[in-house]
Amino acid sequence: MADLCVRLVPLFNILSQENQIEIEDLVRKKTYQKGELVVDPSSDDNLIIVAYGGAKLYNLDENGHENITQILHTGDYAGEDWLFGKKNSNTYVEATENSKICLLNRKDFLNLLEDQSMLSIKLLEQSMAKMQSMQKQIDLLSLPKIEDRLSEYLQEYAVKVGKKTFNLPLKMKDLALYLGTTPETLSRKFALLEKQGVLTRKLRKIILN
């Protein structure tokens, strides 16, 4: 059971081990290299589960620039809107590191919901939790100082991983986009926080003091 993708997703925690194995049989597993696209607007409708690694969701503005809307880590998932028929017109999912991704097809998932009514309720609860996560990003962007956005992001990520020493899950370019700034400004703010004693940085390794 330890290797089942579905065990990484809180959505399926209410199910019995037998039912989780049944779902796992519907899942397709694929390894993606860093920078490889997992989903684009032409893809099939799938629930995306990060078995290990990481990915970013983004859309493109009229100038072709990325607007990151969600960051996925091991155990995170995305794509429930597509499972329920929402058209993906401008969303891309890209691996941010070498990753193993599990895909659950929309048709198979809807058949599953017919058999597992409690799963629909659990899905609604998890969707609300993800909305709260998106609201956190909005709250971050509302902070006027970039260093405050960066500090808050790092503190929240430390809580998520359960330790104050960790590697940045994103490249500087992607983190800058997520925080609404530029890589150059972000580098200066890292230096500022280090000077203030908030953190110690060694390349991508961060130690919060």
Side-chain angles (χ1 to χ4, degrees):
M1 282 291 291
D3 294 328
L4 297 188
C5 289
V6 299
R7 292 205 66 188
L8 299 172
V9 183
L11 175 64
F12 300 121
N13 285 348
I14 61 171
L15 302 181
S16 66
Q17 177 175 321
E18 180 181 357
N19 287 334
Q20 289 181 0
I21 293 175
E22 289 175 354
I23 299 172
E24 188 74 15
D25 289 339
L26 302 176
V27 167
R28 293 184 293 111
K29 304 177 180 69
K30 185 176 178 181
T31 299
Y32 292 86
Q33 301 300 308
K34 179 179 178 180
E36 186 176 358
L37 278 180
V38 179
V39 166
D40 63 35
S42 66
S43 302
D44 292 335
D45 297 325
N46 292 301
L47 180 71
I48 302 159
I49 306 166
V50 180
Y52 67 79
K56 61 179 179 179
L57 276 74
Y58 64 89
N59 52 49
L60 299 177
D61 64 19
E62 57 185 12
N63 297 316
H65 297 144
E66 292 182 11
N67 176 32
I68 296 177
T69 58
Q70 189 177 354
I71 302 298
L72 302 179
H73 306 289
T74 296
D76 289 338
Y77 70 97
E80 56 269 45
D81 290 347
W82 305 327
L83 289 181
F84 290 105
K86 181 179 179 180
K87 179 67 177 176
N88 176 15
S89 59
N90 187 26
T91 298
Y92 299 78
V93 180
E94 178 183 317
T96 54
E97 55 187 292
N98 295 344
S99 305
K100 180 179 179 181
I101 307 293
C102 301
L103 303 171
L104 178 60
N105 182 263
R106 177 176 186 264
K107 181 178 179 181
D108 294 334
F109 188 74
L110 292 181
N111 289 337
L112 174 66
L113 290 184
E114 291 180 2
D115 296 331
Q116 303 286 348
S117 59
M118 284 300 296
L119 191 58
S120 299
I121 298 174
K122 190 69 172 180
L123 179 62
L124 178 60
E125 292 175 349
Q126 292 299 320
S127 295
M128 292 299 294
K130 293 186 71 175
M131 289 179 63
Q132 291 177 347
S133 178
M134 294 178 66
Q135 183 61 47
K136 286 184 179 180
Q137 185 188 10
I138 294 173
D139 293 341
L140 278 179
L141 294 176
S142 70
L143 296 174
K145 294 184 178 181
I146 304 299
E147 57 267 33
D148 291 341
R149 299 180 196 175
L150 175 58
S151 179
E152 185 69 19
Y153 169 83
L154 295 174
Q155 294 289 345
E156 289 182 359
Y157 186 72
V159 171
K160 180 180 179 65
V161 299
K163 51 187 177 182
K164 291 191 174 184
T165 299
F166 52 84
N167 289 326
L168 284 174
L170 296 174
K171 295 184 294 186
M172 289 290 285
K173 180 189 73 172
D174 293 332
L175 181 55
L177 285 171
Y178 185 75
L179 296 178
T181 187
T182 65
E184 295 77 15
T185 298
L186 190 59
S187 292
R188 291 196 296 271
K189 299 307 179 182
F190 265 116
L192 174 62
L193 292 179
E194 190 164 16
K195 183 178 180 180
Q196 293 175 344
V198 175
L199 58 83
T200 301
R201 179 188 173 206
K202 300 176 181 177
L203 298 178
R204 293 186 66 176
K205 183 178 180 179
I206 303 297
I207 304 172
L208 297 182
N209 300 326

